[in-house]
Amino acid sequence: MPRKTNPTSDLAYDQFDTPIGPLTIAADADGLRYVVFPQSRHRPAASPQWHHDPAALREPRRQLLAYFAGELTCFELTLSVQGTDFQQRAWAALREIPYGETRSYSDQATAIGSPRAVRAVGLANGRNPLPIIVPCHRVIGRDGSLTGFGGGLDCKRWLLAMEAERRRGIV
């Protein structure tokens, strides 16, 4: 079971530009805790315990930039994901969606053994503290439509197109 810690306690953070705009990443002693878009609805509240420390986040930053450059399809980072048991199950299912592929919310709900919890899965995805790394952008409507994403639908569309294009080059 994940540790329940204060979401604003002693976090190192860094901010850097990416093809989808600036990202803020933050980590605690246990691992990467947040990837934050400027327009995220569920932004963690910064506090005096947050300190700018790019060196502490060198590897997550390197891997994210390699992902955007098409050089990385799977992240290998220690994560410090905080959430309810249901959220943890939903987010674990997201990590099982292969690079360049999509699943529906219904598929994700079935994958976690709660096929009727489609809306709850959507809410959990909306609270995902590590978008891109825990790839909630790979979840779409059952009819193939793009639905909510913390980085905005244009960002989601860009991520999906980039992955699909690069996957075609890999396969």
Side-chain angles (χ1 to χ4, degrees):
M1 172 174 253
R3 265 182 357 153
K4 300 289 184 195
T5 60
N6 181 340
T8 60
S9 65
D10 197 28
L11 292 172
Y13 78 93
D14 192 16
Q15 185 175 46
F16 55 98
D17 289 327
T18 73
I20 58 170
L23 290 180
T24 300
I25 57 176
D28 62 19
D30 295 327
L32 190 64
R33 173 95 65 96
Y34 298 113
V35 172
V36 184
F37 300 105
Q39 66 274 32
S40 292
R41 285 187 4 205
H42 302 291
R43 297 174 63 87
S47 77
Q49 291 84 12
W50 284 51
H51 57 279
H52 188 239
D53 188 354
L57 292 150
R58 185 172 297 128
E59 186 59 16
R61 177 183 178 149
R62 184 195 69 74
Q63 286 190 35
L64 279 161
L65 291 173
Y67 164 82
F68 287 118
E71 301 163 358
L72 184 86
T73 61
C74 183
F75 294 96
E76 295 183 17
L77 296 167
T78 301
L79 306 179
S80 179
V81 184
Q82 310 294 312
T84 67
D85 289 340
F86 184 85
Q87 288 171 330
Q88 294 285 342
R89 290 188 359 243
W91 299 334
L94 292 172
R95 296 191 76 198
E96 298 300 318
I97 303 171
Y99 180 90
E101 294 185 20
T102 59
R103 300 290 185 269
S104 70
Y105 292 93
S106 179
D107 294 335
Q108 185 184 0
T110 299
I112 66 169
S114 299
R116 296 179 63 183
V118 175
R119 285 187 181 198
V121 161
L123 291 172
N125 289 0
R127 294 280 185 173
N128 174 10
L130 292 163
I132 302 171
I133 292 167
V134 177
C136 54
H137 63 277
R138 296 179 188 155
V139 181
I140 60 175
R142 189 183 329 184
D143 63 359
S145 63
L146 296 187
T147 57
F149 180 63
L153 291 183
D154 287 342
C155 177
K156 183 172 187 166
R157 188 175 294 108
W158 188 92
L159 291 167
L160 291 173
M162 182 268 299
E163 286 187 8
E165 178 182 314
R166 296 215 169 104
R167 182 173 173 154
R168 282 191 294 275
I170 294 170
V171 179

